[in-house]
Amino acid sequence: MADGDTNLPTIERKLGLQIWGIENMKMVPVPEKAYGTFFEGDCYIILHTQRTSRGSAVDLHYWIGRDSSQDEQGAAAVYVTQLDTALGGSPVQHREVQGHESETFQSYFRNGIIYKKGGVASGFKHVETNMYNIKRLLHVKGKKHVSATEVALSWDSFNKGDVFLLDLGKVLIQWNGPSCSIAEKSRGLALARSIRDSERGGRAQIGIIDNERDSPDLMQIMRMVLGERRGELRDATPDTKADELQKANVRLYHVYEKDNDLVVQEIATRPLTQDLLQHEDCYILDQGGFKIYVWRGKASSPEEKKAAFTRAVGFIQAKGYPSSTNVEVINDGAESAMFKQLFQRWTEKNETQGLGKVYTTGKIAKVEQVKFDTTQLHARPELAAEQRMVDDASGEVEVWRIEDLQMQPVNPKTYGQFYGGDCYLVLYTYLRSGRPHYVLYMWQGRHASVDEITACALNAIELDKKYGDEAVQVRVTMGKEPRHFLAIFKGKLVIYEGGTSRAQKSSPEPAIRLFQVRGTDEVNTKATEVPARASSLNSNDVFLLTTSQVCYLWCGKGCSGDEREMAKMVADIVSRRDKHTILEGQEPAEFWEALGGKAPYASEKRFQEQSTHYQPRLFECSNQTGRFIMTEVVGFCQEDLDEDDVMLLDTWEEIFLWVGKASNAQERSEAIASAKEYLKTHPAGRDLATPIILVKQGYEPLNFTGWFNAWDPYKWSDGKSYEEMKNSLGDVSAISEIKVDLNNLSLNKRTLSTTNLAGSGTANASSEYKSHLSHSDSNSYSNSNNHNSNSHSSPALVPNGEGIYSREVLMHRTVDELPEGVDPTKKECYLSDADFHDIFGKSKDEFYQMPKWKQQNEKKQFGLF
C-alpha cells in the first residue's frame, strides 16, 4: 500500500461520526444505519469530531476484529497515519481491539455495540432493514458501556448475571439473568429496541423474560430453539477490569533510535510532570498495562511519528501485556483530557487562572479577583459550576460543634470562627423555586481526634435524616474550604490553628498570634492563623499580629486597598485591642520583638499562576468484586446517571459523589471511602484534602448540575423507568402459541387475529384474554410499532375506529404510500397518543403549543413532514 494520502477516500469535515470498513485493502464507507455493528472478521476506521469550548476535538480509531487478517490490520494502521497527516496532526489516534474498546470509543454507541460473526463476505455494506431470516443469540454485557456478542445457540452460553437476546427476526426475546441489575436490564432493552427499529424497520416484537415462571409462552419458544435446559445455569463471571491501583502505576519511557536499534529508557514514575516531555522526542507512557500512550513531540522526526503504533505494539509484546491492550497516540499540543490528568500539573500555552487579571503595585505583581454577578447563577448553572457556588450565599446558617461526640450549638455571635482542635457541622439553607434546599458542611480540624471526626460524620447522617435525606453533604478539610463555604460567612471566616471553642478549654490561648488575611470582598475572604514568627510574613498579603496590648495590621507592599479593608473587618473579630496599621518597611521595634526578631520572609512578587482547564470526568464506582473499580463515561450527560448507581464527578477542585435512589446500600455507605481511594490512587498525585461533596438524586445543587449540558430537573419524575419501558412493549402474555420451524420461523397467533400484533386493541382479542387488557394496554400496544408474520403489505388501522394508524404507516412515506384519507400535511395527527409521545417526547397539546417552524423541524426529523 503506497504511503501518502493518495489512497484515502474523500473525507468530509463534519461534526459527528464517520465509519469505514477495510475491504480489499481499501476504505469503504459504512452506511449510518449500520453504525455500532462490527463484523468480527473485519477492521474498521472511525473518525469522530465534536465541538469544544476551544474549537473542535478529533479522535481517530482503528478497530481490529478478533478474526481479521494481519493484512487488514496493517492496512487500517497505515490509513490512520495517513488520515492523521491529512487532518493536520490534530486527531488523537486510538488502537481498539474487539471486546477491549476504550471508554471514548464506547461512548459513540449509546445503545451498545453488536459484534457479528463473519466479515466482508457477510456483506456489511448491505443493511437489510426487513430481514427476518435470522436466528442468533446475543450475549449482552455492561451497564454503562454495552456490547453484544454473538454466541452459540445453546443454554450453555447462558449465565445468571447477564442479559441474553434471542433474535428470531420477527421476535426478539430478552432473557434477564436473575442476578441482573435494573441498569443492565434497561441497557439490554435499549439495545433490543435499537435492533428492532434500525435493523427491522420497527417490524419486530420484543418479549422480556424477567422471571421464567411468569413467561411460559416465551420460555416455550426458547426451549423450541435451544432445546430443553439440563443442569443449573453458571454464575456470572465478573468483568476483568483494571482497578484504580493498577491504573495509578504510571511510568514514562523515552523512545529513540541508536545505531539502528530501538532504545526504550524508563525516565520517571508517578507523579509525572509536564516538563519531562521534550518537543524533540517521542515518549511511551505505560498506565499499569491498562493503556499505552505514545506522545509525539512537535520537533520529532517524521519517521519517528510514523512508527508510533508499531513501537507501541512492540512495547506491549516486550512487556508481555495482552495484545488487546489499548493504545492512544497523542500529538504535542493536542493532548486528550485523560492524558493530561496523568500528570501532576498540566498547563496550556498562554493560559491563566479563570477569573482574574494581573496588575502591579510597586514591585509586587498581584492577581486581582474580578467580581462576578451572583444574580446570574440561576440563569447560568454553568457559571455556578465554574465558580463552585451553590447560590449567592444569602441563605441561613446554623453551626454545631462536636463535643463529647454529640452536637452542641455554637453561639451565633461566633459564627465563622473555627478551631483546629474541633470538628463542626454547618447547615446552610436556601430557597430555590420556592422550596428549601440544604447543604451540610462537615468541617474537620487538623488536630481533632479520630473519634471526633467519626462522630462528625455520624451526626451529619442523623441531621440529614431530620431534613428528609435531602441535604448535599460536603466534607471540608481545614485549610481547604470551598468557595461557597467562605461566602456564607460574609468575610468573617477565621481559622485558628489549634485549640477549641469549648467553654472548658484545656490550655490557655497563646498571648501572641499571627493571621494571614486573603480576600478582596465578603465572598472570598479568609483569615488563617500561621506560626507567629517573621518568616511567616509575605509581601503580597495583609497580616494581623495580636498581642496582649495591641493588634497590628501589617500591610505588605503588594496588597490592595480591598484587602486592607477586609483585614480591618477581621481584626475586630480576633482582637479587642487597639488597631495599629503599619506598612511593610516601617515596622516599629515592638512588632519584630513580638515575632521573636527579624528574619527573611517571602518578598518576591506573586505572579498569576498558570493553570490548566481541567475537563470534568464522570465515573461509575463499583467495589462489588472486592476491588475498587471505576468505569469512565466519556461525553457524559444526565442520562448516564442511573438510579441504581453511585457516580463520581471529578471537577478537579472538588469531587462530587452522586447517589441514585435505588443504589446498593453497601456502595452508598462506602461512597466517601471510594472518593478518598480515588484521590489516593490518582496518577497525578492529587491533594487528599480536596473537598468531597455527597449529592442525592433529585436534590442536585446548581454547582453540580452546571457541569451537565441541558440538565432536566424533572427527569426523575418524568423519565421512563425500566418497568414503564417494558410495559410500553405491549402484553406479550397474550401470545398463546408460537410454532417455531428451525428453518423458517413462522408465527401463528391463535388468540389475536389482527395484522398488527403490537398495535392490537381489545376489540379482536379472544374473550379468554380480554380480562387481561385494559384500554391503556391498547395504547401501549400501539407504542411498540411491530408486525406479526402475516404477510400484509402495510399495517392495519388500530381497531378503535378513530382513524389512528401505527407509526410505520405514516413515517417516511410519500403521499402515494399513505392510506386513503390521510392528510399528508398532518401525518402526526393520525398517531396514537402513546406513539406520539414516544416519538416526539411530548403530548400533542404540548407539541401544538410550539412555534410552527419548530413543529415543522421536528416533523422533518422524525419523517412525518
Side-chain angles (χ1 to χ4, degrees):
M1 181 171 174
D3 270 348
D5 54 16
T6 51
N7 292 315
L8 291 176
T10 305
I11 308 296
E12 282 187 74
R13 299 290 183 106
K14 64 176 185 179
L15 294 174
L17 208 55
Q18 297 179 68
I19 302 180
W20 297 266
I22 302 297
E23 183 178 346
N24 299 323
M25 303 303 148
K26 299 283 185 192
M27 283 173 64
V28 178
V30 172
E32 277 191 42
K33 284 186 176 178
Y35 285 7
T37 297
F38 297 91
F39 283 94
E40 296 180 343
D42 288 332
C43 289
Y44 295 81
I45 288 169
I46 295 92
L47 177 65
H48 182 261
T49 308
Q50 63 178 350
R51 215 175 252 123
T52 67
S53 57
R54 295 161 188 272
S56 63
V58 184
D59 285 272
L60 192 52
H61 308 253
Y62 77 96
W63 184 91
I64 299 170
R66 65 162 62 105
D67 299 328
S68 61
S69 70
Q70 287 295 324
D71 286 347
E72 283 181 319
Q73 293 177 28
V78 171
Y79 273 126
V80 163
T81 307
Q82 291 179 357
L83 275 166
D84 177 55
T85 306
L87 294 167
S90 61
V92 174
Q93 300 167 54
H94 309 257
R95 173 181 176 268
E96 311 282 358
V97 178
Q98 179 184 338
H100 303 274
E101 293 84 0
S102 66
E103 286 147 337
T104 303
F105 183 89
Q106 293 178 85
S107 72
Y108 306 147
F109 308 102
R110 288 270 170 191
N111 287 328
I113 297 169
I114 299 174
Y115 306 126
K116 285 188 174 178
K117 293 197 179 300
V120 172
S122 308
F124 71 75
K125 293 181 297 178
H126 310 292
V127 182
E128 298 291 347
T129 55
N130 294 318
M131 280 279 292
Y132 295 128
N133 190 18
I134 291 172
K135 197 192 310 167
R136 61 177 177 172
L137 180 64
L138 296 174
H139 180 187
V140 184
K141 281 188 80 68
K143 274 175 66 179
K144 291 294 169 209
H145 304 128
V146 178
S147 63
T149 310
E150 204 171 316
V151 292
L153 270 166
S154 162
W155 285 110
D156 294 338
S157 300
F158 286 69
N159 68 58
K160 293 177 184 174
D162 290 328
V163 172
F164 290 82
L165 205 55
L166 181 60
D167 182 359
L168 301 172
K170 293 191 175 180
V171 175
L172 291 155
I173 300 176
Q174 178 178 333
W175 182 95
N176 296 325
S179 310
C180 275
S181 69
I182 292 290
E184 287 170 319
K185 293 176 183 180
S186 299
R187 295 288 185 270
L189 179 49
L191 182 68
R193 291 169 74 161
S194 173
I195 292 171
R196 177 194 71 188
D197 296 338
S198 61
E199 291 190 24
R200 309 291 143 75
R203 299 177 179 92
Q205 173 108 11
I206 298 172
I208 296 179
I209 300 174
D210 270 325
N211 184 327
E212 293 185 351
R213 288 181 188 171
D214 297 339
S215 309
D217 296 326
L218 294 174
M219 282 305 298
Q220 184 186 2
I221 300 170
M222 290 194 72
R223 279 192 292 269
M224 293 174 82
V225 175
L226 303 169
E228 289 295 331
R229 189 166 71 215
R230 291 177 178 29
E232 283 289 307
L233 289 170
R234 290 178 294 117
D235 287 329
T237 49
D239 296 332
T240 52
K241 287 186 181 175
D243 60 25
E244 295 312 291
L245 217 52
Q246 180 185 338
K247 291 181 191 175
N249 182 21
V250 290
R251 293 174 186 274
L252 188 67
Y253 298 85
H254 180 203
V255 184
Y256 60 97
E257 285 183 5
K258 186 179 180 183
D259 302 330
N260 294 326
D261 289 327
L262 185 66
V263 180
V264 180
Q265 178 188 2
E266 183 177 328
I267 57 171
T269 58
R270 173 190 179 208
L272 302 177
T273 53
Q274 189 180 355
D275 58 3
L276 291 164
L277 303 171
Q278 300 298 311
H279 300 297
E280 302 76 28
D281 293 317
C282 288
Y283 297 85
I284 284 178
L285 192 157
D286 178 3
Q287 194 182 5
F290 160 71
K291 192 167 191 174
I292 304 296
Y293 294 87
V294 183
W295 185 86
R296 308 190 299 187
K298 281 177 181 167
S300 60
S301 69
E303 290 73 25
E304 280 193 300
K305 287 177 180 172
K306 278 181 186 171
F309 276 120
T310 312
R311 286 178 175 179
V313 173
F315 180 85
I316 287 167
Q317 290 168 348
K319 282 282 192 177
Y321 293 152
S323 59
S324 57
T325 303
N326 278 134
V327 175
E328 192 171 299
V329 175
I330 287 170
N331 292 314
D332 186 353
E335 294 84 1
S336 65
M338 291 178 194
F339 182 78
K340 291 175 191 173
Q341 292 195 16
L342 297 174
F343 290 77
Q344 193 166 30
R345 184 174 188 74
W346 189 281
T347 54
E348 303 289 353
K349 193 178 176 185
N350 304 325
E351 185 170 38
T352 50
Q353 186 89 27
L355 294 177
K357 62 184 180 190
V358 177
Y359 69 97
T360 309
T361 311
K363 291 184 180 178
I364 308 295
K366 280 294 298 253
V367 179
E368 179 184 26
Q369 286 173 297
V370 178
K371 293 176 184 177
F372 68 97
D373 183 1
T374 53
T375 59
Q376 294 183 24
L377 291 174
H378 287 284
R380 294 179 55 203
E382 72 280 5
L383 181 68
E386 283 170 23
Q387 294 301 319
R388 272 75 182 176
M389 294 291 282
V390 171
D391 71 339
D392 60 4
S394 62
E396 291 180 19
V397 178
E398 287 180 86
V399 184
W400 295 266
R401 181 180 56 254
I402 301 300
E403 195 172 319
D404 298 325
L405 310 186
Q406 300 298 318
M407 288 165 56
Q408 291 297 330
V410 170
N411 183 344
K413 289 180 182 175
T414 64
Y415 278 7
Q417 298 178 50
F418 292 83
Y419 289 80
D422 286 332
C423 285
Y424 298 83
L425 285 174
V426 178
L427 179 68
Y428 178 75
T429 307
Y430 64 103
L431 289 177
R432 191 164 130 207
S433 304
R435 60 181 294 263
H437 287 68
Y438 311 98
V439 181
L440 183 54
Y441 290 102
M442 295 166 272
W443 190 91
Q444 301 171 358
R446 189 177 290 126
H447 308 293
S449 69
V450 174
D451 285 348
E452 284 175 320
I453 291 171
T454 305
C456 185
L458 293 173
N459 278 286
I461 293 168
E462 290 306 311
L463 191 58
D464 187 16
K465 282 181 184 168
K466 188 177 166 186
Y467 290 92
D469 281 327
E470 294 181 15
V472 171
Q473 296 178 30
V474 187
R475 182 200 71 150
V476 180
T477 304
M478 177 176 168
K480 288 288 178 181
E481 293 77 16
R483 297 181 204 178
H484 187 257
F485 189 83
L486 269 61
I488 64 177
F489 291 107
K490 311 287 190 291
K492 297 178 180 178
L493 180 63
V494 181
I495 310 293
Y496 296 91
E497 176 56 34
T500 174
S501 57
R502 301 177 194 191
Q504 297 81 32
K505 301 192 179 185
S506 54
S507 55
E509 291 188 4
I512 297 172
R513 284 185 136 149
L514 183 65
F515 297 88
Q516 182 177 25
V517 183
R518 297 192 70 178
T520 55
D521 57 29
E522 289 190 351
V523 173
N524 61 21
T525 297
K526 174 172 76 167
T528 308
E529 186 175 4
V530 293
R533 48 178 178 259
S535 58
S536 297
L537 297 172
N538 188 313
S539 296
N540 297 283
D541 296 317
V542 182
F543 284 78
L544 302 175
L545 177 64
T546 67
T547 70
S548 52
Q549 280 86 36
V550 69
C551 175
Y552 295 102
L553 271 81
W554 182 87
C555 303
K557 287 177 183 173
C559 74
S560 68
D562 284 343
E563 287 171 317
R564 287 196 290 272
E565 287 305 309
M566 293 311 300
K568 285 177 187 174
M569 191 164 93
V570 176
D572 290 331
I573 298 169
V574 299
S575 175
R576 296 197 183 106
R577 306 291 173 194
D578 289 341
K579 311 298 185 296
H580 288 196
T581 301
I582 53 176
L583 302 177
E584 183 178 3
Q586 300 176 17
E587 301 87 353
E590 295 81 19
F591 177 82
W592 295 118
E593 279 174 26
L595 290 174
K598 281 189 178 184
Y601 58 84
S603 57
E604 292 295 311
K605 52 189 177 183
R606 180 189 292 142
F607 286 109
Q608 185 171 28
E609 283 188 358
Q610 264 199 322
S611 72
T612 188
H613 167 78
Y614 285 109
Q615 189 173 315
R617 298 171 72 186
L618 184 72
F619 300 86
E620 177 201 3
C621 305
S622 171
N623 54 6
Q624 289 180 329
T625 57
R627 289 155 65 233
F628 179 52
I629 290 173
M630 298 186 70
T631 306
E632 182 163 7
V633 182
V634 178
F636 63 83
C637 62
Q638 188 182 0
E639 290 294 322
D640 295 310
L641 302 174
D642 284 317
E643 296 204 357
D644 62 345
D645 277 338
V646 172
M647 305 292 286
L648 184 147
L649 177 67
D650 181 3
T651 66
W652 204 263
E653 267 190 48
E654 297 164 331
I655 300 288
F656 289 93
L657 281 162
W658 182 88
V659 180
K661 283 177 181 168
S663 57
N664 146 341
Q666 185 191 355
E667 284 179 358
R668 273 203 310 275
S669 64
E670 293 182 5
I672 298 291
S674 295
K676 289 179 182 174
E677 182 76 7
Y678 170 76
L679 285 170
K680 199 162 82 181
T681 58
H682 198 285
R686 296 282 287 280
D687 186 343
L688 300 182
T690 302
I692 295 171
I693 302 171
L694 195 69
V695 174
K696 280 92 146 205
Q697 179 189 332
Y699 304 102
E700 296 84 0
L702 283 176
N703 58 330
F704 176 81
T705 62
W707 296 108
F708 292 78
N709 188 25
W711 181 273
D712 176 10
Y714 303 106
K715 177 184 185 297
W716 313 125
S717 51
D718 294 349
K720 282 189 176 181
S721 68
Y722 165 70
E723 288 300 327
E724 286 167 334
M725 285 196 294
K726 191 171 117 176
N727 291 338
S728 75
L729 298 171
D731 186 1
V732 293
S733 65
I735 303 170
S736 68
E737 183 183 340
I738 294 177
K739 292 180 180 174
V740 180
D741 180 330
L742 294 183
N743 296 317
N744 181 21
L745 179 74
S746 63
L747 308 181
N748 295 316
K749 188 74 183 59
R750 200 171 58 205
T751 58
L752 292 183
S753 58
T754 58
T755 56
N756 187 349
L757 195 149
S760 308
T762 55
N764 292 350
S766 71
S767 57
E768 180 185 354
Y769 286 102
K770 276 187 182 175
S771 60
H772 296 294
L773 301 172
S774 65
H775 184 66
S776 63
D777 290 325
S778 167
N779 286 338
S780 71
Y781 272 21
S782 63
N783 194 24
S784 139
N785 72 338
N786 301 321
H787 274 306
N788 75 354
S789 62
N790 296 338
S791 55
H792 285 245
S793 59
S794 65
L797 283 162
V798 170
N800 58 8
E802 295 175 9
I804 299 296
Y805 292 85
S806 58
R807 65 175 82 179
E808 60 270 29
V809 167
L810 304 166
M811 292 170 75
H812 308 290
R813 299 285 180 181
T814 63
V815 175
D816 296 338
E817 292 172 328
L818 291 170
E820 195 176 339
V822 168
D823 181 345
T825 65
K826 296 178 180 175
K827 293 183 196 174
E828 77 283 357
C829 296
Y830 301 89
L831 289 165
S832 69
D833 290 344
D835 265 2
F836 192 95
H837 197 284
D838 194 45
I839 292 168
F840 290 98
K842 53 181 77 70
S843 69
K844 288 182 180 176
D845 287 342
E846 290 168 324
F847 179 81
Y848 290 121
Q849 283 168 13
M850 295 194 314
K852 199 79 175 169
W853 63 268
K854 208 168 183 182
Q855 293 179 29
Q856 304 287 41
N857 281 351
E858 290 204 8
K859 284 162 68 172
K860 284 177 187 174
Q861 184 184 344
F862 297 113
L864 288 163
F865 184 65

